[in-house]
């Protein structure tokens, strides 16, 4: 891994992590992200967490110049938090932007692999995929695995997107591609944001690769998933069909990705 990080040392990568009551997780997640290489920076987007996540993020930022904090006035949803963080990253001139959960379900050790898929394999978007060959979940009950697989199948059926993990939220995006996605117009507020962003990337004709990951159930804290969030995703997906119809992206497994 050290060799891989050296190869990509010239690339500036901003990892955007939205938080709400994730103090305990952030304390251990932040150093693991920064340990992946000097090119990785962290932006914590905190929604005024009552558990003190925001002040902890400020402490981390004071101790390391690669950590930044964006404080939002209230809990406003995953989508708006990501939009705020990604917009900040583009304005600051980062080469690649990463979206990542705060609860350790996404392994920071996979960051160099996602970066390699975009930096070396010339993909526009690299998705950390649970359901492509080699991907899996750990600690999930059968009900949740069925829900996740079913959600991706639903997105593929309705939107015609050939992604095994169409709801994936762990992704690395080339900044030039992200700028073309007009993320400030994305209307999804919950986890449907991930679907809408992935769909927009395919509509723009961007090259997407799915990188297999192991998704681990959170150990501490409470899940933000709710019935309202699931309902939003179910209703939002058909509405996305009215988006501008453009050629779908060249979506292929990482093993087939080749530099151009």
């Amino acid at each position: 891994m050290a060799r891989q990080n050296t190869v990509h040392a010239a690339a500036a990568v901003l990892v955007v992590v939205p938080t709400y009551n994730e103090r305990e997780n952030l304390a251990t997640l932040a150093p693991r992200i920064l340990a992946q290489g000097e090119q990785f920076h962290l932006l914590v987007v905190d929604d005024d967490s009552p558990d003190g996540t925001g002040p902890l993020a400020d402490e981390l930022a004071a101790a390391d110049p690669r950590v930044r904090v964006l404080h939002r006035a209230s809990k406003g949803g995953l989508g708006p938090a990501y939009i705020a963080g990604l917009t900040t990253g583009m304005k600051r001139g980062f080469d690649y932007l990463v979206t990542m959960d705060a609860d350790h379900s996404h392994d920071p050790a996979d960051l160099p692999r996602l970066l390699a898929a975009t930096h070396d394999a010339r993909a526009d978007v690299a998705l950390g995929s649970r359901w492509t060959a080699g991907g899996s979940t750990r600690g999930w009950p059968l009900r949740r695995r069925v829900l996740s697989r079913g959600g991706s199948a639903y997105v593929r059926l309705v939107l015609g997107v050939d992604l095994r993990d169409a709801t994936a939220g762990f992704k690395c995006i080339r900044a030039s591609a992200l700028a073309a996605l007009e993320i400030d117009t994305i209307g999804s507020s919950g986890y449907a944001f991930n679907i809408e962003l992935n769909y927009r990337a395919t509509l723009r004709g961007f090259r997407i690769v799915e990188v297999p990951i192991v998704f681990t159930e959170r150990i501490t804290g409470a899940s933000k998933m709710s019935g309202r969030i699931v309902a939003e995703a179910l209703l939002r997906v058909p509405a996305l069909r009215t988006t501008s119809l453009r050629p779908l992206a060249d979506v292929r497994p990482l093993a087939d990705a080749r530099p151009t």
Side-chain angles (χ1 to χ4, degrees):
M1 182 177 294
R3 179 176 178 275
Q4 188 178 51
N5 287 347
T6 300
V7 171
H8 303 135
V13 186
L14 184 65
V15 182
V16 179
V17 179
T19 57
Y20 185 77
N21 287 347
E22 297 286 1
R23 178 182 174 87
E24 187 173 352
N25 284 317
L26 182 63
T28 52
L29 181 68
R32 291 192 64 207
I33 291 173
L34 300 177
Q36 302 308 313
E38 290 297 318
Q39 70 273 45
F40 291 101
H41 298 244
L42 169 63
L43 175 61
V44 179
V45 184
D46 186 63
D47 278 7
D48 196 28
S49 300
D51 74 338
T53 302
L56 171 62
D58 288 332
E59 293 175 15
L60 295 171
D64 194 314
R66 288 189 291 147
V67 180
R68 296 175 173 85
V69 188
L70 181 59
H71 293 280
R72 303 207 314 149
S74 62
K75 186 178 181 182
L78 182 70
Y82 269 137
I83 291 171
L86 293 171
T87 300
T88 296
M90 286 190 288
K91 288 180 178 178
R92 289 184 174 273
F94 283 90
D95 302 304
Y96 301 93
L97 290 302
V98 174
T99 59
M100 184 177 186
D101 288 351
D103 59 5
H104 289 280
S105 57
H106 298 148
D107 188 348
D110 289 324
L111 288 169
R113 297 172 58 234
L114 293 179
L115 176 58
T118 48
H119 187 275
D120 290 349
R122 308 284 183 169
D124 296 297
V125 183
L127 298 181
S129 178
R130 296 159 290 190
W131 307 125
T132 196
S136 64
T137 63
R138 181 182 299 134
W140 271 19
L142 177 61
R143 177 185 61 81
R144 187 154 184 203
R145 294 198 303 272
V146 170
L147 178 64
S148 180
R149 281 185 176 273
S152 284
Y154 174 65
V155 173
R156 289 196 301 272
L157 176 65
V158 175
L159 299 180
V161 176
D162 187 19
L163 293 172
R164 301 311 303 168
D165 196 347
T167 65
F170 189 21
K171 59 176 70 72
C172 179
I173 311 170
R174 191 180 298 274
S176 57
L178 184 63
L181 296 182
E182 302 173 358
I183 60 172
D184 58 319
T185 64
I186 290 181
S188 303
S189 61
Y191 288 94
F193 172 84
N194 296 323
I195 299 172
E196 187 163 357
L197 189 62
N198 294 340
Y199 184 50
R200 285 194 180 201
T202 63
L203 290 179
R204 289 289 186 181
F206 291 136
R207 186 161 183 256
I208 304 173
V209 295
E210 292 192 74
V211 180
I213 64 166
V214 177
F215 186 101
T216 305
E217 178 67 354
R218 70 161 59 233
I219 299 175
T220 63
S223 172
K224 309 304 187 297
M225 184 65 73
S226 68
R228 182 184 62 81
I229 290 174
V230 173
E232 182 204 20
L234 288 173
L235 296 174
R236 184 71 180 165
V237 169
L240 295 178
R241 297 268 315 176
T242 62
T243 306
S244 171
L245 296 178
R246 302 187 180 185
L248 293 179
D250 176 16
V251 182
R252 60 181 80 175
L254 179 60
D256 293 337
R258 295 291 184 271
T260 58

